[in-house]
Amino acid sequence: MPQRLEPDLVERRDFLGLAGIWAAAVAILGSVLGMLRLPKPSVLPETGSRIRIGRPDEFPSGTTRAYPEHQVLVLSNPNGVAAISMECTHLGCVVAKTETGFSCPCHGSAFNADGEVVTGPAPRTLRWLEVGQTVDGRLIVDAKREVSPGTYLKV
Amino acid sequence: MRTSGLPAFAENLRQLPANLKASFSRHDAPTSDRSRSQAVFSNLFLHIHSTRTHVNSLRLRATFGLGVAAFSLFMILVGTGILLMVYYTPSTDLAYNSMKDIHYIVPTGRFIRNIHRWAAHLMVATVLLHMCRIFYTASYKAPREFNWILGMILLVLTLALSFTGYLLPWDQLAFWAITIGANIAASPRELTDALGITAYFDPGGMQKELLLGASTVGQDALTRFYLLHVMVLPLALSAVAGVHFWRIRKDGGLGRPGVTMTAAGKGASVGVPATMPEDAPRKTYGLMCVVRDRSEATDQDPIDTVPSWPYLLRAELLVFMVTMFACVALALISDAPLKEMANPAVPENPAKAPWYFLGLQEMVSYSAFMGGLIIPVVVILGLGLIPYLDREPEDAGVYFSGPRGRKVALRTTVFATIAAVLSVAIPVNYGWLRNWFPGISQLVVILINPGSLLTAAYAAWSILVLHRTGSTRLGAIALFTCFVVGFVILTYVGTSLRGPNWDFYWSQADWPVH
Ligand code: HEM
Ligand code: FES
């Protein structure tokens, strides 16, 4: 029966052996984890996210214009100009503009004119994107900057 | 006086062919049962077989040759895959055109491509059927539990191989199927978004980034998928398949009635006290049929066994030839598709994954997170653990374990069919929660959907069967049968009854023209 003051110590040789094995195990594990760092990109290869869409007077109230290559829809009404991303919030297909809003070809999600989900598996409202102006007054959409739905730029 | 070395040299030269041949193989010419057994025993490639095989394992009904067919298909895929690599270029600019070259210009290119495509389809189907035969004959029982797990890993690797291969042609189908697939990997975001913690904890985005190397499908994704498809996954599959085969032998050959494995199967020889000192080698090499330990003929008479060469090898060759014939015939009849080049601006409509993922896509059309991630993981775990949760000792090799099992399987089929059809028919006809209660919480919509309810119903049914019959094996039969029926029905719905916008159509003729 081992006593409290004289516990059953690990033999010295066993201890050194175990320490060696554990040191090797930790070293191998550490280097494997280190190697796994490689496939995780630190910089994402991305094309510019800012889209120049033109002068404000090209967007009189009531305009809707789609930019399919950027998957962005620009709309203008008395509130101002806004941009909605046409990338479906379900699994990333490109939604199509319909009379009542948007619909997605992939799994049938439908959105109203403000991009809110009406039916289907999409979990959230379509992303609204930031519309800004350059110094000379031209409008640009930043496809990487999300703004809260209903944000219009007064022009 | 020194003699000239020339005569010896001349003699060696004369003997060269014979000596080359003799050094090539480690055994005598395979002319008798004994020397053939020796050949199987001492040849690296043949020794994966035992020297003798039980006659019952050779009957068609025992295996339907499905495991060997799956491996034959893998070998065909490796062969044709290497040929395709001669011309294929994994770059977004060139991939599509190199596929076109292979299809239209390269001599026999289209034929080889067709074989590769068909063999991939057949391999998935064969592996699934093989899994069914293993399950229904109770071949997963001790000591074969771990081989069942290795089998599940092989199933996942097989599916991963076809998923990664799907991107390589870089056509519309490829691009959009992989976009959807990668976003399924990102779908834990649905949950983190609903909880409002995505900014701090985003496992979904992390998975997608690792898979694509970018935030959209592009050159980085193509490079990664190519690497996985031609290197990593085939090597992994070969290694696991090697262990799978080795375990078959170590677990005592194929399961069959009358040889229920006991503790002896775990390595201790029957009738020998565990403490007895090891004497000589434990295998008696001279008499190949009396191999001790966990080998097929452990401590049994070699009665009812036949030499593996020629009987087993002949059966395997036959399966290989039939498989090859099927691939070649299908490749001659039907061409692998190649759509327009990938266009990130316009999705393919409908964008369908390959058929074996369409059941999944059907569930994804309710919720990406539940249908694409949680349910598949639950299903894989549930199936993988079957051998550990059903441990009733039982002879392997009797389909459905007899009449009671057959009855349970039949009733389960009826129940599972009704449940699966309802899970599709109700949302198609009456809509789902969001249509009934607009403004309902997103979390509820994610968690409670036809797919998760179907899964829950299947689990409940299996537990009911388990409870009522008092048999874990019958409970397992109920669970597995539910899985098979659900898979078949959802796959059928996804393949044949879904059209543009994933709307329901009884036939493709009703699809709107666009
Ligand atoms: C790439 C995929 C696979 C290959 C190439 C493969 C190959 C084989 C082969 C050649 C056999 C010999 C018996 C026969 O032909 O039926 C076998 C047996 C077996 N397989 Fe697989 N298999 C694969 C996937 C699976 C899967 C998905 C499972 C189940 C989850 C599985 C579980 C088993 C078990 C438990 C045995 C032993 C059966 C017995 O002893 O009767 N395998 N496999
Ligand atoms: S990607 Fe739009 S509904 Fe699935």
Side-chain angles (χ1 to χ4, degrees), chain A residues 88 90-93 104 106-109 121:
Chain A
C88 182
H90 180 223
L91 293 173
C93 287
C104 180
C106 287
H107 314 98
S109 286

Side-chain angles (χ1 to χ4, degrees), chain B residues 221-482:
Chain B
L222 184 55
T223 308
R224 282 169 192 227
F225 276 54
Y226 182 67
L227 170 68
L228 288 171
H229 188 76
V230 306
M231 269 285 292
V232 180
L233 294 171
L235 283 180
L237 198 144
S238 311
V240 180
V243 184
H244 193 63
F245 300 156
W246 177 75
R247 280 301 291 249
I248 296 174
R249 285 202 56 194
K250 291 298 165 185
D251 293 339
L254 295 193
R256 57 190 176 275
V259 285
T260 308
M261 273 290 180
T262 53
K266 282 287 180 195
S269 306
V270 191
V272 181
T275 51
M276 200 167 99
E278 295 261 317
D279 32 23
R282 310 191 79 197
K283 291 185 174 176
T284 327
Y285 294 114
L287 289 163
M288 240 69 70
C289 43
V290 209
V291 178
R292 281 219 249 136
D293 274 359
R294 299 172 84 184
S295 141
E296 175 244 348
T298 305
D299 282 330
Q300 298 157 39
D301 286 339
I303 231 163
D304 286 341
T305 64
V306 290
S308 295
W309 185 343
Y311 294 98
L312 178 58
L313 297 185
R314 203 161 64 193
E316 288 178 348
L317 185 65
L318 178 70
V319 172
F320 179 77
M321 293 313 288
V322 169
T323 319
M324 189 80 147
F325 176 79
C327 292
V328 169
L330 287 166
L332 288 173
I333 294 170
S334 149
D335 277 351
L338 189 62
K339 300 258 178 180
E340 305 85 55
M341 186 164 163
N343 177 357
V346 186
E348 183 74 3
N349 189 4
K352 288 198 180 186
W355 60 269
Y356 35 84
F357 285 134
L358 288 183
L360 209 65
Q361 200 168 342
E362 181 64 24
M363 290 203 296
V364 162
S365 78
Y366 306 130
S367 154
F369 177 61
M370 290 302 285
L373 218 60
I374 297 296
I375 296 177
V377 168
V378 166
V379 169
I380 299 257
L381 283 182
L383 293 183
L385 289 181
I386 283 181
Y388 298 89
L389 300 181
D390 162 33
R391 304 190 66 83
E392 280 164 29
E394 168 182 349
D395 276 354
V398 180
Y399 279 89
F400 301 100
S401 307
R404 275 183 87 203
R406 211 168 302 137
K407 210 166 89 187
V408 167
L410 205 66
R411 290 192 179 166
T412 305
T413 306
V414 174
F415 167 79
T417 307
I418 295 174
V421 169
L422 282 182
S423 86
V424 176
I426 293 179
V428 164
N429 289 305
Y430 304 107
W432 198 249
L433 294 178
R434 209 193 307 273
N435 309 79
W436 305 336
F437 318 102
I440 189 173
S441 146
Q442 182 57 38
L443 215 51
V444 177
V445 177
I446 291 176
L447 294 181
I448 302 188
N449 66 59
S452 50
L453 292 187
L454 183 65
T455 314
Y458 283 173
W461 169 265
S462 314
I463 292 174
L464 184 75
V465 170
L466 170 69
H467 178 66
R468 294 277 289 270
T469 59
S471 154
T472 49
R473 168 68 176 155
L474 293 179
I477 290 184
L479 183 69
F480 192 84
T481 309
C482 280

Side-chain angles (χ1 to χ4, degrees), chain A residues 39-41 44-46 68-69 71 90-94 103-108 117-124, chain B residues 176 180 183-184 190 193 206 209-210 213-215 220 224 344-345 347 349 361 364-366 368 434-435 442 501-502:
Chain A
K40 177 156 178 3
L44 296 180
E46 223 99 281
E69 66 277 29
Q71 309 184 356
H90 180 223
L91 293 173
C93 287
V94 182
S103 79
C104 180
C106 287
H107 314 98
V117 185
V118 179
T119 181
R124 47 174 296 210
Chain B
W176 289 102
I180 291 175
N183 281 320
I184 290 179
E190 277 187 17
D193 274 348
M206 168 101 164
E209 232 168 66
L210 276 180
S215 49
D220 293 85
R224 282 169 192 227
N349 189 4
Q361 200 168 342
V364 162
S365 78
Y366 306 130
R434 209 193 307 273
N435 309 79
Q442 182 57 38
N501 295 357
W502 211 247

Side-chain angles (χ1 to χ4, degrees), chain B residues 67-68 127 130 133-134 139 144 148 151-152 244-245 248 254-255:
Chain B
V68 174
V127 170
H130 170 65
R133 107 90 178 128
I134 300 293
S139 298
R144 300 186 177 80
W148 171 267
M152 292 300 292
H244 193 63
F245 300 156
I248 296 174
L254 295 193

